[in-house]
């Protein structure tokens, strides 16, 4: 948001103020609920930037109408044990790489993946329903904004799940995600549905594979300052091309 604000200040001085509601809305459902409580004025520009958490909650957890926080609260013991196991097994990217090299060179093994409690087939089934509900939240947000005279934009965010030919660094990150294959299967369902959705809605933009091969992630969904700078520029360019200053 701060990068976008700087770009707006540079090109449209004193015309736009960016308000970030992302801390309290981690999935599309929460964004829609938050949006419904806001006063939207004619000329306001509303941006939804999401996808990763929705894929996880819908495809992996199988509760597309739920939230990350709600699931974590209800399953805190399971998550605590799982996170502790992952920490012990992986710890750091450096340890992960050394461990993998040792197994490959000394033991002839190269597989230290943790098991995933859900299959790829289950993730796909969950995602068929979850992706429909996800797109419904986005559509409802679009309608709500337009009724108030505002402009709505949706961005399907970059994520590690989109990578088809990862770099060595990206592969280390992938190896740290126990359910990566299952999550990637879920991503492909959401991606396919979103592409169809974006073809029918000119304010929906698929950015999910923008960071492939660029070593910008530090986990499966978050990026550092370099990634944020690139994405801020892409979002600004999209808004500018849409003529939000008119």
């Amino acid at each position: 948001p701060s990068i976008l604000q700087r770009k707006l200040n540079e090109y449209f001085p004193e015309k736009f103020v960016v308000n970030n509601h992302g801390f309290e809305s981690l999935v599309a459902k929460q964004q829609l609920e938050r949006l419904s409580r806001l006063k939207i004025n004619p000329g306001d520009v509303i941006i939804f930037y999401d996808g990763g958490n929705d894929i996880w909650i819908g495809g992996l957890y199988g509760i597309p109408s739920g939230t990350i926080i709600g699931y974590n609260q209800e399953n805190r013991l399971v998550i605590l044990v799982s996170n502790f196991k992952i920490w012990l097994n992986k710890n750091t990217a450096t340890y992960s790489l050394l461990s993998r090299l040792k197994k490959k060179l000394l033991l002839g093994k190269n597989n230290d993946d943790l098991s995933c409690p859900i299959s790829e087939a289950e993730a796909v089934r969950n995602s068929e329903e979850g992706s429909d509900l996800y797109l419904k939240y986005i559509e409802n947000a679009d309608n709500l904004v337009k009724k108030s005279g505002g402009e709505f934009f949706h961005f399907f965010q970059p994520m590690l799940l989109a990578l088809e030919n990862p770099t060595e660094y990206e592969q280390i990150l992938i190896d740290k995600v126990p359910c990566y294959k299952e999550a990637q299967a879920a991503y492909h369902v959401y991606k396919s549905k979103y592409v169809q959705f974006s073809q029918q809605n000119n304010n929906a933009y698929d950015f999910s594979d923008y960071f492939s091969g660029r070593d910008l992630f530090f986990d499966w969904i978050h990026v550092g300052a370099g990634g944020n700078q690139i994405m801020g520029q892409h979002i600004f360019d999209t808004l500018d091309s849409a003529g939000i200053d008119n």
Side-chain angles (χ1 to χ4, degrees), residues 27-217:
V27 292
K29 175 187 178 181
Q30 290 176 307
Q31 290 179 103
L32 177 58
E33 290 173 346
R34 177 60 179 150
L35 179 64
S36 66
R37 298 194 298 270
L38 297 176
K39 177 177 172 52
I40 305 171
N41 298 307
D44 283 352
V45 178
I46 308 298
I47 297 173
F48 274 24
Y49 178 83
D50 53 52
N53 286 333
D54 297 272
I55 290 172
W56 206 270
I57 198 82
L60 277 295
Y61 291 170
I63 47 172
S65 61
T67 65
I68 295 292
I69 294 175
Y71 180 89
N72 290 351
Q73 289 175 338
E74 294 174 7
N75 299 273
R76 61 184 62 174
L77 180 59
V78 173
I79 292 173
L80 177 63
V81 173
S82 176
N83 286 343
F84 185 60
K85 286 182 178 178
I86 293 171
W87 183 85
L88 288 176
N89 190 65
K90 303 296 183 181
N91 201 2
T92 65
T94 301
Y95 176 82
S96 174
L97 178 60
L98 292 174
S99 175
R100 208 169 66 196
L101 287 174
K102 182 185 75 173
K103 289 185 178 182
K104 183 176 181 180
L105 297 177
L106 301 181
L107 304 177
K109 300 177 181 179
N110 192 30
N111 181 15
D112 59 349
D113 292 338
L114 294 174
S115 61
C116 182
I118 184 174
S119 69
E120 290 184 49
E122 289 173 312
V124 168
R125 285 197 298 270
N126 289 343
S127 299
E128 290 292 343
E129 175 188 354
S131 57
D132 288 339
L133 189 55
Y134 170 65
L135 294 177
K136 188 63 177 178
Y137 290 142
I138 298 170
E139 185 177 16
N140 288 345
D142 185 25
N143 292 334
L144 179 60
V145 173
K146 287 179 178 176
K147 286 180 180 178
S148 301
E151 294 185 73
F152 179 78
F153 295 85
H154 185 271
F155 299 98
F156 193 44
Q157 70 186 119
M159 58 194 84
L160 198 67
L161 302 175
L163 304 185
E164 297 297 338
N165 298 294
T167 65
E168 182 177 3
Y169 167 76
E170 290 168 342
Q171 187 61 52
I172 293 173
L173 294 181
I174 289 172
D175 291 345
K176 290 165 68 66
V177 182
C179 291
Y180 182 82
K181 290 181 180 179
E182 294 76 14
Q184 191 173 54
Y187 159 76
H188 286 306
V189 176
Y190 276 76
K191 163 84 171 183
S192 176
K193 295 281 189 70
Y194 191 84
V195 168
Q196 297 175 36
F197 179 80
S198 63
Q199 290 172 347
Q200 301 169 4
N201 297 270
N202 59 8
N203 57 349
Y205 302 87
D206 179 13
F207 285 179
S208 62
D209 61 354
Y210 269 31
F211 291 163
S212 296
R214 305 176 75 168
D215 289 348
L216 292 170
F217 293 98

